[in-house]
Amino acid sequence: MDAEIKKPVGKLAVLTPGMGAVATTFMAGVMAVRKGIAVPVGSYTQLASISEKKGSQSRDLPVREFVPLAGLDDLVFGGWDIFPDNAYESARSAKVLDTALLEQLKPELSHVRPMKAVFCKEYVKRIRGTNIKREPTKMRMAEAVMEDI
């Protein structure tokens, strides 16, 4: 049985739990590829190919053409973090990106602002976040996160 996979329509939200070094590097990488100042090195969906065989014939297709996935231009970013810094400020503080690249992406990264995060001091005693959800119970915090989505 052949299943038909429909082409995605519209934007795809990518939400990260935390907007630190890993999340902002991911966002910056996508944004740099969109601007044509980077290549999606390491991206299976963007650079790899799949062999399609029909009878005695076969051909190699890029994964992104074989499986209808949202394109890099269709991704929009967001996330939660206990600190209020936008993605640019967070990436700058993390010092994991080349400064020249970071400055080229400043306009795009600055627009990604974190939503308030769930934070329980009893589990993380040495960090003091200020961008946190204030709810009476953990269940209500979980519900508040679902409302964000």
Side-chain angles (χ1 to χ4, degrees):
M1 172 186 352
D2 287 334
E4 181 183 343
I5 301 173
K6 294 181 181 179
K7 185 175 172 85
V9 177
K11 298 293 182 182
L12 175 63
V14 179
L15 302 174
T16 60
M19 290 179 50
V22 174
T24 58
T25 299
F26 165 56
M27 293 174 195
V30 171
M31 292 171 182
V33 171
R34 285 179 186 164
K35 288 183 100 165
I37 56 178
V39 177
V41 174
S43 175
Y44 179 77
T45 63
Q46 300 302 303
L47 296 178
S49 61
I50 290 179
S51 292
E52 179 185 46
K53 295 182 181 183
K54 289 188 176 181
S56 63
Q57 295 183 340
S58 68
R59 63 184 179 149
D60 289 340
L61 288 173
V63 171
R64 67 182 181 276
E65 290 177 19
F66 188 77
V67 179
L69 300 170
L72 295 182
D73 288 335
D74 295 325
L75 301 182
V76 292
F77 297 101
W80 299 267
D81 202 290
I82 63 172
F83 301 111
D85 297 348
N86 65 43
Y88 168 77
E89 294 163 338
S90 182
R92 190 182 65 205
S93 295
K95 298 179 182 171
V96 293
L97 293 169
D98 176 75
T99 304
L101 174 63
L102 185 59
E103 291 307 312
Q104 287 179 310
L105 301 173
K106 182 178 181 178
E108 294 88 349
L109 288 169
S110 294
H111 287 295
V112 183
R113 300 184 180 279
M115 294 177 274
K116 290 184 176 184
V118 171
F119 183 71
C120 299
K121 286 187 251 183
E122 62 265 26
Y123 299 118
V124 184
K125 297 183 188 312
R126 293 185 179 178
I127 298 176
R128 301 285 179 254
T130 59
N131 193 45
I132 59 175
K133 293 187 180 295
R134 306 252 186 234
E135 299 293 344
T137 65
K138 289 178 185 167
M139 178 57 115
R140 182 59 203 123
M141 278 195 254
E143 291 168 349
V145 169
M146 293 309 294
E147 291 166 7
D148 289 344
I149 296 172

